[in-house]
């Protein structure tokens, strides 16, 4: 049973004279209680997928999808129907916890207000008590007193816990986390990952983790969707994709990951992917990765077919499944 | 041969002591890593080494000459041997200047702008992939990797022997960070440079540095050859920091040590060992006695109860 299905999601921006195609035929499926990672480098469009889901794209964005359904109901992306799910069925954990909180109000006030849309008839007292309990739950010590504090009185890691508490308070069916630990130090990141782990075990909410960090996705997700320049190049179970990547981009990307504990030859160069991501206003007609692909050949000037690996995983490449 | 020695450095901002007795030795031709979390004082150390921040205590020696002991003129000449590679290249490049004038600027400031020096810089730029067609661009037209290369050529314009790189790969995609690191290493070998690499990215530090020093709350808690230190950290903080590093290797995940609490404020550091309140192995002694950095061969650690780093475990280490 799937919670979210999106087929052929397209997003483009129309500017003065030219238009930029940001997402090109993205398919995503998230099962109930499942955690899916959306991986990619800058310019891959991973955040655009999240923002399209939340109905937060700019006015000049043209959004369309062949089919979209959330929790059994079809959604019209062009009409921004999913915006009504925001803050109730879909909640978001933003990257930068400082800008996600209002500096003018206490944490308590913000944690209460976020619940208003979901629990319209509840009293402030009841909402306050709920907020306090969830705040304690995500590891904020002395939650009762901390409710009366302002965001600047919290450290980065504590602020991120507040933001996570905010997302949990609306009891969403889908929790989107956009680079939830990027702004945090290593030991604090470990704490927040721990909180997200416990959360996964306790709530039935599905999760979409948007990140450039394969390590974080390996840590938190069941499956992963790898994006490059606005297209999905490969998707599947985390263990399969990370250990048996099919698409040349996934392979090249994983080769760039450094394992500092592994033995290595210091005179050996580090792996890189030469070249740049194509300009979204001048996308190539064929395979989007062809310009940087080490396995490029003549057919790559045509759009590659969706292939399926032996285990059924889809990937978009002319190369035969290995 | 030592390129640079920092001894017992103290850096204060008003009443806050950000760096409290840090000693570092950068050997000629090596890459030394300095790691730690935000607020540990690693960027303050970088700023002091390049002369942007005065030392409230301690000494800085560059190629055998201690700065406090030489004339102002000599000090400036010595300081010029060290160049800083800034953390945010976009912010360190004026948006109103073309790459061509950005590259000439350091020469002009030093009064060494001649047709020959200009040609040398353009050659250097070209040799690291900043071709002719890029020279008339403005910073906003550069990719992150290109902007970093412009900053690198600007740093190299003064013909330094030491480069201090503060988070050189922060914000770069993983597919291009390797390019910059490969380039830095090639330049080090070609120009005989020494690097102090400051980073919180343990993957990068583990892969490109020869030795590494770990800072916690204004002090160095451990240092040693990178491979040995990564394999068997002696300080519990280093161990926790390394274990917190997210890895694709699922089998290593169970060993993670999650520290409680946060980095305390350096304006009011904990008594005894500064790490004791977060240390999973802390003993009563740790709250009282300040551990000093003890050297053993190439490695040093400031801990009353260091972890075993060799197969042979000393009785003292277990007794803790």
């Amino acid at each position: 049973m799937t919670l979210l299905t999106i087929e052929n999601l397209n997003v483009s921006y129309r500017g003065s004279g030219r238009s930029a195609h940001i997402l090109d035929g993205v398919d995503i499926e998230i099962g109930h209680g499942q955690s899916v990672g959306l991986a990619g480098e800058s310019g891959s469009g991973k955040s655009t997928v999240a923002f399209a889901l939340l109905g937060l794209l700019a006015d000049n964005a043209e959004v369309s999808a062949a089919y979209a359904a959330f929790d059994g109901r079809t959604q019209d992306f062009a009409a921004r129907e999913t915006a009504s799910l925001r803050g109730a069925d879909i909640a978001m954990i933003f990257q930068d916890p400082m800008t996600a909180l209002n500096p003018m109000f206490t944490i308590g006030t913000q944690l209460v207000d976020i619940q208003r849309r979901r629990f319209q008839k509840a009293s402030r007292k009841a909402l306050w008590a709920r907020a306090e309990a969830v705040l304690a739950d995500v590891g904020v010590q002395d939650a009762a007193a901390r409710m009366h504090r302002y965001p600047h009185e919290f450290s980065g890691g504590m602020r991120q816990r507040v933001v996570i508490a905010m997302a949990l308070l609306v009891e969403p069916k889908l929790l989107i986390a956009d680079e939830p630990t990027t702004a945090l130090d290593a030991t604090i990141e470990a704490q927040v990952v721990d909180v997200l782990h416990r959360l996964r075990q306790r709530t039935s909410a599905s999760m979409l983790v948007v990140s450039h960090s394969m390590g974080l996705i390996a840590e938190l997700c069941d499956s992963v969707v790898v994006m490059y320049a606005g297209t999905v190049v490969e998707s599947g179970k985390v263990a399969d994709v990370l250990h048996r990547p099919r698409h040349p981009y996934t392979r090249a990307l994983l080769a760039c990951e450094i394992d500092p504990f592994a033995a290595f030859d210091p005179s050996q160069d580090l792996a890189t992917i030469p070249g740049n991501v194509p300009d979204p206003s001048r996308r190539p007609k064929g395979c989007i990765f062809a310009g940087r692909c080490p396995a490029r050949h003549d057919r790559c000037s045509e759009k590659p077919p969706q292939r399926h690996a032996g285990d059924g995983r889809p990937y978009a490449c002319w190369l035969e499944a290995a | 041969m030592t390129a640079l020695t920092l001894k017992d450095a103290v850096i204060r901002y008003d009443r806050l002591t950000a760096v409290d007795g840090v000693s570092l030795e950068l050997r000629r031709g090596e890459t030394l890593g300095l790691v730690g979390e935000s607020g540990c004082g690693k960027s303050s150390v970088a700023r002091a080494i390049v002369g942007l921040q005065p030392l409230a205590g301690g000494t800085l020696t560059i190629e055998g000459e201690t700065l406090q002991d030489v004339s102002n003129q000599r000090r400036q000449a010595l300081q010029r041997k060290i160049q800083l590679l800034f953390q945010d290249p976009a912010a360190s490049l004026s948006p109103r200047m073309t790459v061509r004038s950005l590259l000439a600027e350091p020469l002009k400031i030093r009064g060494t702008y001649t047709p020959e020096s200009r040609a040398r810089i353009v050659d250097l730029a070209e040799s690291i992939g900043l071709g002719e067609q890029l020279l008339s661009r403005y910073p906003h037209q550069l990719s992150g990797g290109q902007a970093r290369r412009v900053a690198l050529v600007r740093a190299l314009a003064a013909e330094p022997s030491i480069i201090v790189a503060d988070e050189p790969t922060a914000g770069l995609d993983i597919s291009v960070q390797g390019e910059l690191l490969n380039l830095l290493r090639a330049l080090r070998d070609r120009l005989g440079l020494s690097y102090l690499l400051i980073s919180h990215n343990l993957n990068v530090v583990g892969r490109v540095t020869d030795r590494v020093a770990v800072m916690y709350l204004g002090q160095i808690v451990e240092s040693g050859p990178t491979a040995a230190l990564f394999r068997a950290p002696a300080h519990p903080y280093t161990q926790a920091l390394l274990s917190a590093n997210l890895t694709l290797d699922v089998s290593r995940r169970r060993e993670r040590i999650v520290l409680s609490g946060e980095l305390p404020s350096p304006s009011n550091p904990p008594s005894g060992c500064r790490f004791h309140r977060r240390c999973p192995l802390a003993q009563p002694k740790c709250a009282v006695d300040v551990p000093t950095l003890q050297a053993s061969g190439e490695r040093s650690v400031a801990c009353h109860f260091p972890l075993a780093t060799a197969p042979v475990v000393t009785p003292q280490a277990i007794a803790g």
Side-chain angles (χ1 to χ4, degrees):
Chain A
M1 173 76 177
T2 56
L3 173 69
L4 174 77
T5 310
I6 305 175
E7 282 167 23
N8 201 11
L9 177 65
N10 286 279
V11 172
S12 56
Y13 287 97
R14 205 166 284 287
S16 48
R18 45 184 216 165
S19 89
H21 217 73
I22 304 297
L23 293 184
D24 184 21
V26 170
D27 296 340
I28 285 185
E29 206 177 273
I30 303 175
H32 278 285
Q34 206 198 2
S35 171
V36 174
L38 201 51
E41 300 184 281
S42 19
S44 64
K46 57 191 190 302
S47 294
T48 306
V49 171
F51 279 59
L53 257 174
L54 292 162
L56 285 176
L57 293 176
D59 288 341
N60 64 334
E62 288 173 13
V63 192
S64 71
Y67 174 76
F70 184 85
D71 204 18
R73 285 187 50 198
T74 55
Q75 301 286 330
D76 184 354
F77 265 100
R80 313 260 158 126
E81 273 184 4
T82 50
S84 65
L85 303 172
R86 189 174 75 225
D89 288 321
I90 304 179
M92 175 91 162
I93 299 170
F94 287 95
Q95 180 170 159
D96 181 354
M98 198 61 220
T99 52
L101 296 168
N102 188 327
M104 303 293 286
F105 295 98
T106 61
I107 294 297
T109 303
Q110 297 185 57
L111 288 176
V112 165
D113 287 350
I114 194 88
Q115 303 175 64
R116 293 279 185 207
R117 190 160 175 186
R118 187 71 159 184
F119 307 102
Q120 287 169 0
K121 294 198 179 103
S123 70
R124 182 178 168 83
K125 208 174 154 189
L127 295 182
W128 188 277
R130 239 186 123 239
E132 198 180 298
V134 172
L135 197 59
D137 227 28
V138 294
V140 175
Q141 279 161 21
D142 204 7
R146 298 288 255 170
M147 289 281 282
H148 297 281
R149 300 279 173 184
Y150 288 88
H152 75 270
E153 297 174 277
F154 288 71
S155 68
M158 282 299 144
R159 261 182 235 141
Q160 196 58 304
R161 287 171 204 254
V162 172
V163 171
I164 293 172
M166 259 173 131
L168 291 180
L169 276 167
V170 300
E171 294 182 353
K173 296 191 176 102
L174 175 64
L175 192 61
I176 303 179
D178 185 10
E179 303 280 9
T181 60
T182 303
L184 306 175
D185 273 314
T187 60
I188 308 302
E189 175 178 44
Q191 293 173 355
V192 170
V193 165
D194 220 37
V195 169
L196 291 171
H197 254 310
R198 277 189 283 123
L199 201 110
R200 280 219 56 206
Q201 283 154 12
R202 272 208 322 252
T203 74
S204 57
S206 305
M207 244 163 86
L208 180 66
V209 180
V210 181
S211 183
H212 70 283
S213 163
M214 284 290 191
L216 182 71
I217 285 175
E219 184 76 41
L220 289 176
C221 301
D222 310 309
S223 59
V224 58
V225 176
V226 183
M227 291 188 68
Y228 177 77
T231 54
V232 173
V233 294
E234 176 165 5
S235 58
K237 293 230 174 309
V238 165
D240 292 339
V241 173
L242 293 189
H243 296 125
R244 286 185 300 281
R246 299 289 184 195
H247 197 280
Y249 173 67
T250 320
R251 285 186 192 173
L253 188 68
L254 290 170
C256 292
E257 291 277 348
I258 303 170
D259 181 353
F261 302 100
F264 62 89
D265 173 4
S267 66
Q268 198 84 49
D269 267 350
L270 289 158
T272 69
I273 307 180
N276 293 307
V277 180
D279 182 339
S281 63
R282 279 189 290 267
R283 292 171 68 88
K285 288 219 160 49
C287 169
I288 191 75
F289 186 56
R292 302 171 80 184
C293 184
R296 164 184 65 239
H297 56 107
D298 292 348
R299 302 217 52 186
C300 302
S301 56
E302 293 165 50
K303 206 172 182 122
Q306 191 77 258
R307 289 186 186 277
H308 289 272
D311 45 13
R313 275 188 293 137
Y315 67 102
C317 183
W318 281 106
L319 294 176
E320 292 292 336
Chain B
M1 184 63 185
T2 308
L4 176 149
T5 311
L6 187 67
K7 202 163 184 311
D8 303 325
V10 177
I11 299 170
R12 287 203 185 94
Y13 302 101
D14 293 326
R15 262 169 296 170
L16 187 150
T17 305
V19 173
D20 196 2
V22 163
S23 297
L24 282 176
E25 186 193 85
L26 177 63
R27 297 170 192 167
R28 193 167 281 180
E30 80 167 346
T31 301
L32 173 67
L34 187 60
V35 300
E37 297 179 276
S38 14
C40 74
K42 57 190 194 299
S43 287
S44 291
V45 168
R47 292 170 59 83
I49 288 175
V50 296
L52 286 174
Q53 179 68 43
L55 288 178
T59 57
L60 176 62
T61 306
I62 300 169
E63 294 184 344
E65 295 181 70
T66 301
L67 293 195
Q68 282 94 329
D69 301 343
V70 298
S71 67
N72 272 350
Q73 208 185 352
R74 183 68 193 143
R75 188 170 68 230
Q76 280 179 6
L78 286 170
Q79 204 85 65
R80 205 166 287 170
K81 289 175 189 278
I82 309 177
Q83 290 296 317
L84 177 65
L85 207 52
F86 283 98
Q87 190 168 138
D88 183 355
S92 70
L93 303 175
S94 166
R96 293 162 187 271
M97 291 167 76
T98 60
V99 171
R100 184 175 282 110
S101 28
L102 283 167
L103 295 181
E105 194 187 22
L107 299 171
K108 287 183 174 160
I109 289 171
R110 295 208 166 79
T112 58
Y113 185 72
T114 59
E116 295 83 59
S117 65
R118 193 191 158 274
R120 183 174 60 81
I121 288 300
V122 171
D123 281 350
L124 183 63
E126 194 147 3
S127 78
I128 65 166
L130 293 170
E132 189 69 39
Q133 77 284 5
L134 280 170
L135 296 185
S136 47
R137 291 208 190 156
Y138 287 90
H140 75 273
Q141 296 169 308
L142 302 173
S143 70
Q146 288 166 340
R148 262 159 241 250
R149 274 176 274 175
V150 171
L152 183 59
V153 176
R154 275 161 60 89
L156 293 173
E159 300 190 54
S161 55
I162 299 164
I163 295 273
V164 177
D166 192 2
E167 300 281 5
T169 59
L172 279 186
D173 273 319
I174 189 165
S175 70
V176 293
Q177 86 171 10
E179 239 167 86
L180 185 82
L181 295 171
N182 291 339
L183 176 66
L184 282 172
R185 200 197 56 201
L187 284 169
R188 184 189 75 175
D189 297 346
R190 195 168 98 206
L191 303 173
L193 302 168
S194 315
Y195 290 142
L196 176 64
L197 180 95
I198 295 167
S199 183
H200 69 278
N201 186 329
L202 293 171
N203 294 347
V204 167
V205 169
R207 181 66 170 73
V208 306
T209 64
D210 303 301
R211 293 187 306 130
V212 63
V214 182
M215 277 187 83
Y216 185 79
L217 213 61
Q219 295 177 334
I220 288 180
V221 295
E222 179 167 12
S223 68
T226 306
L229 190 141
F230 269 62
R231 202 179 315 118
H235 198 285
Y237 175 64
T238 314
Q239 187 190 37
L241 195 63
L242 289 172
S243 83
N245 200 27
L246 293 176
T247 162
L248 301 187
D249 187 353
V250 187
S251 62
R252 217 179 278 133
R253 224 175 277 162
R254 271 165 274 128
E255 303 153 24
R256 170 163 310 140
I257 301 158
V258 178
L259 294 177
S260 60
E262 319 232 340
L263 210 66
S265 164
S267 61
N268 185 22
S271 62
C273 172
R274 293 185 171 194
F275 183 57
H276 84 264
R277 280 193 217 144
R278 299 178 75 196
C279 183
L281 308 173
Q283 303 287 324
K285 174 185 167 82
C286 304
V288 187
D289 292 346
V290 179
T292 54
L293 208 57
Q294 300 289 332
S296 145
E298 278 278 277
R299 300 186 60 169
S300 299
V301 61
C303 179
H304 295 306
F305 307 101
L307 304 157
T309 57
V312 186
V313 181
T314 61
Q316 290 93 322
I318 305 170

